[in-house]
């Protein structure tokens, strides 16, 4: 296995990489490196490349199954390979058709090398309906239409020409895929800017915006509205137990925004004074449901109760074509109890009178919450604003394919409390 892949897997297992954007970007870079170093066979090149990426993708997903952005990027890259292979196949079919027409016109001038028949071109066109591979296309042409060898030396020359042509096509496929992956990485890097450009359309003067967590996308969104001379206030819930809201509030104040920090338990009391809730997301599922930092479902319910719009900001790399009930989807993971209580605070709760010494106090610290789609008013992505019903079609069109990476991680981990 590539050393870069092994190092990345170790970091994922140790949770040294956090956040969907960082995980998605590094995943795309690792897959790009693997594509660049992969030696492709002379035949079925796209299939070989897809198998290699799928194998690596399964290992990456197993390393951290909660980071669904990994699977999203793997599917996107697999889709890129298929699209580029189909594009090269279509170009080859077009070239064969043009060549056949040209040979028919010059039939009497080129008796030694007759052109491809209409049946051969039709066979080549039909082959595009099968799993796309340029070599499969060429191999399915009937042998009777092949150009006859006039001599042994001519055959050797033709064999060398075919070998060179195969190598050229292999390089072309890899080059096109790498270019497309580079564009994908650029989209991941710039997703905050593209979402922030839409802020002026949604935030107006004298509004009060509530948010929870420490999302960079939300921060850039709010700051972009501030730069457009919008005057508004931001209410930030502190986001216990990690208190990520404190860091967000400090950053917003440094950027010149009027900010108020409240406790998580005060959200329902403050929501009636709020004009809109703007939050980030960990992942957006195929049904429009949102996996977000813990406590987000409470905010969404409070917003629905008081008819306050609940807006979710999410880059395209967070759109997942899986549903929450899929067996390979892990919606949550447990963080360290030390974030809630120091060990010394509950050491007295240990039952030292029994031989087992089992604790009477259990600390549960889930990382994420699930917000059902009926609680979301609007999704704002790189491509604009969408409602929950439309986000499903975006998810499917972006990355869905019958051959997706699979993992049995759910059987390999403990039961997650959700």
């Amino acid at each position: 296995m590539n050393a870069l892949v092994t190092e990345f897997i170790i970091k994922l297992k140790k949770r040294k990489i956090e956040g969907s954007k960082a995980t998605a970007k590094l995943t795309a870079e690792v897959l790009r490196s693997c594509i660049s170093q992969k030696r492709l066979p002379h035949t079925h090149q796209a299939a070989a490349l897809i198998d290699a990426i799928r194998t690596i993708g399964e290992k990456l997903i197993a390393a951290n199954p909660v980071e669904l952005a990994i699977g999203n990027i793997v599917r996107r890259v697999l889709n890129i390979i298929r699209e580029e292979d189909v594009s090269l196949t279509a170009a080859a079919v077009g070239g064969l058709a043009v060549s056949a027409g040209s040979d028919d016109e010059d039939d009497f001038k080129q008796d030694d090398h007759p052109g491809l028949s209409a049946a051969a071109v039709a066979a080549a066109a039909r082959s595009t309906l099968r799993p796309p591979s340029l070599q499969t296309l060429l191999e399915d042409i009937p042998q009777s239409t092949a150009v006859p060898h006039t001599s042994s030396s001519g055959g050797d020359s033709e064999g060398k020409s075919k070998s060179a042509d195969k190598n050229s096509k292999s390089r072309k496929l890899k080059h096109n895929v790498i270019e497309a992956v580079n564009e994908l990485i650029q989209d991941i890097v710039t997703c905050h800017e593209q979402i922030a450009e839409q802020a002026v359309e949604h935030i107006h003067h004298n509004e009060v915006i509530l948010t929870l967590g420490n999302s960079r996308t939300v921060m850039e969104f709010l700051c972009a509205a501030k730069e457009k001379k919008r005057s508004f206030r931001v209410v930030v819930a502190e986001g216990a137990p990690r208190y990520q809201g404190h860091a967000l509030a400090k950053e917003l104040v440094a950027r010149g925004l009027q900010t108020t920090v409240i406790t998580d338990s005060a959200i329902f009391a403050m929501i009636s004074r709020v004009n809109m809730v703007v939050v980030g997301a960990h992942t957006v599922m195929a049904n429009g449901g949102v996996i977000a930092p813990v406590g987000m479902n409470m905010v969404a319910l409070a917003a629905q109760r008081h008819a306050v719009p609940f807006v979710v900001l999410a880059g395209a790399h967070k759109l997942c074509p899986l549903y929450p009930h899929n067996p390979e989807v892990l919606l949550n993971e447990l963080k360290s109890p030390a974030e809630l209580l120091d060990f010394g605070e509950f050491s007295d709760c240990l039952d030292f009178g029994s031989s087992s010494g089992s604790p009477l106090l259990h600390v549960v610290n889930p990382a994420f919450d699930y917000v059902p789609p009926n609680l979301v008013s609007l999704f704002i992505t790189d491509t604009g604003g969408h409602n929950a019903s439309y986000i499903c079609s975006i998810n499917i069109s972006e990355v869905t394919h019958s051959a997706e990476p699979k993992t049995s991680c759910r059987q390999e981990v403990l039961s997650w409390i959700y």
Side-chain angles (χ1 to χ4, degrees):
M1 187 186 300
N2 191 321
L4 184 62
V5 176
T6 303
E7 181 182 359
F8 186 48
I9 289 175
I10 293 174
K11 289 182 179 180
L12 289 174
K13 288 181 177 180
K14 294 183 177 180
R15 303 301 193 263
K16 290 186 177 181
I17 303 174
E18 291 188 349
S20 298
K21 180 183 177 182
T23 304
K25 180 175 178 291
L26 290 174
T27 300
E29 291 175 348
V30 168
L31 295 180
R32 180 184 60 184
S33 175
C34 294
I35 293 170
S36 177
Q37 298 177 18
K38 175 66 177 176
R39 296 182 62 125
L40 299 180
H42 290 305
T43 60
H44 308 292
Q45 296 159 356
L49 193 56
I50 287 173
D51 289 341
I53 295 302
R54 183 185 292 114
T55 300
I56 295 172
E58 290 174 355
K59 296 180 183 298
L60 297 181
I61 294 172
N64 190 352
V66 180
E67 281 291 355
L68 298 178
I70 299 173
N72 298 342
I73 297 302
V74 172
R75 295 182 189 93
R76 291 285 292 273
V77 172
L78 290 174
N79 194 44
I80 286 172
I81 297 172
R82 296 184 186 101
E83 288 180 346
E84 294 300 333
D85 186 55
V86 168
S87 178
L88 290 175
T89 301
V93 171
L96 288 173
V98 171
S99 174
S102 175
D103 289 343
D104 288 341
E105 293 176 1
D106 301 334
D107 185 38
F108 296 101
K109 295 181 181 180
Q110 299 182 2
D111 292 334
D112 294 337
H113 298 82
L116 294 175
S117 66
V121 176
R126 286 195 302 270
S127 68
T128 59
L129 299 177
R130 291 188 288 272
S133 168
L134 184 56
Q135 294 303 322
T136 301
L137 167 69
L138 298 178
E139 289 170 359
D140 284 344
I141 298 175
Q143 294 295 326
S144 60
T145 63
V147 178
H149 301 301
T150 57
S151 65
S152 60
S153 60
D156 294 340
S157 175
E158 185 179 354
K160 292 179 181 179
S161 175
K162 287 183 178 180
S163 177
D165 189 42
K166 291 176 180 178
N167 292 334
S168 174
K169 291 167 184 173
S170 173
R171 290 193 297 269
K172 183 67 174 175
L173 175 63
K174 290 176 61 175
H175 176 269
N176 291 355
V177 170
I178 290 174
E179 286 296 320
V181 173
N182 286 337
E183 294 178 4
L184 173 61
I185 294 174
Q186 185 63 24
D187 290 342
I188 295 172
V189 172
T190 61
C191 70
H192 296 319
E193 302 172 6
Q194 297 174 11
I195 294 175
E197 290 175 357
Q198 307 170 55
V200 70
E201 303 174 8
H202 301 280
I203 298 179
H204 308 288
H205 284 292
N206 300 323
E207 287 190 335
V208 179
I209 311 298
L210 185 143
T211 187
L212 171 69
N214 184 17
S215 169
R216 184 187 168 189
T217 306
V218 172
M219 182 188 69
E220 296 295 340
F221 187 81
L222 298 174
C223 292
K226 170 68 175 178
E227 293 173 358
K228 296 295 183 179
K229 308 303 181 183
R230 292 287 194 267
S231 177
F232 59 95
R233 291 186 296 135
V234 182
V235 177
V236 181
E238 61 182 0
R242 305 179 76 179
Y243 301 104
Q244 295 178 333
H246 294 178
L248 176 62
K250 183 177 180 180
E251 184 66 27
L252 292 176
V253 170
R255 303 280 284 269
L257 277 80
Q258 299 182 30
T259 307
T260 302
V261 179
I262 63 172
T263 61
D264 297 339
S265 57
I267 288 176
F268 200 92
M270 293 290 295
I271 197 71
S272 61
R273 308 179 186 181
V274 171
N275 299 104
M276 181 169 57
V277 176
V278 179
V279 297
H282 178 70
T283 303
V284 179
M285 307 304 295
N287 65 336
V290 179
I291 299 177
V294 65
M296 199 65 74
N297 189 55
M298 172 181 64
V299 178
L301 289 171
Q304 184 191 51
R305 177 67 178 80
H306 289 271
V308 175
F310 186 86
V311 180
V312 177
L313 311 182
H317 60 277
K318 295 184 180 182
L319 304 182
C320 179
L322 303 178
Y323 288 85
H325 58 265
N326 283 37
E328 64 266 33
V329 174
L330 292 179
L331 297 181
N332 222 330
E333 68 176 349
L334 302 181
K335 295 294 185 179
S336 171
E339 294 180 352
L340 293 176
L341 296 173
D342 292 332
F343 177 76
E345 293 184 47
F346 60 91
S347 59
D348 295 338
C349 298
L350 294 176
D351 187 6
F352 292 105
S354 63
S355 58
S356 62
S358 59
L360 300 177
L361 175 66
H362 297 271
V363 180
V364 179
N365 184 18
F368 301 110
D369 228 343
Y370 176 72
V371 180
N374 63 294
L375 299 181
V376 181
S377 305
L378 181 69
F379 286 97
I380 300 179
T381 69
D382 315 17
T383 59
H386 312 288
N387 57 30
S389 60
Y390 185 70
I391 209 71
C392 175
S393 63
I394 295 179
N395 267 333
I396 295 175
S397 63
E398 284 287 343
V399 295
T400 293
H401 195 277
S402 58
E404 292 179 348
K406 299 179 180 179
T407 178
S408 57
C409 303
R410 196 175 185 88
Q411 288 76 27
E412 298 175 2
V413 296
L414 298 175
S415 299
W416 302 103
I417 295 180
Y418 179 72

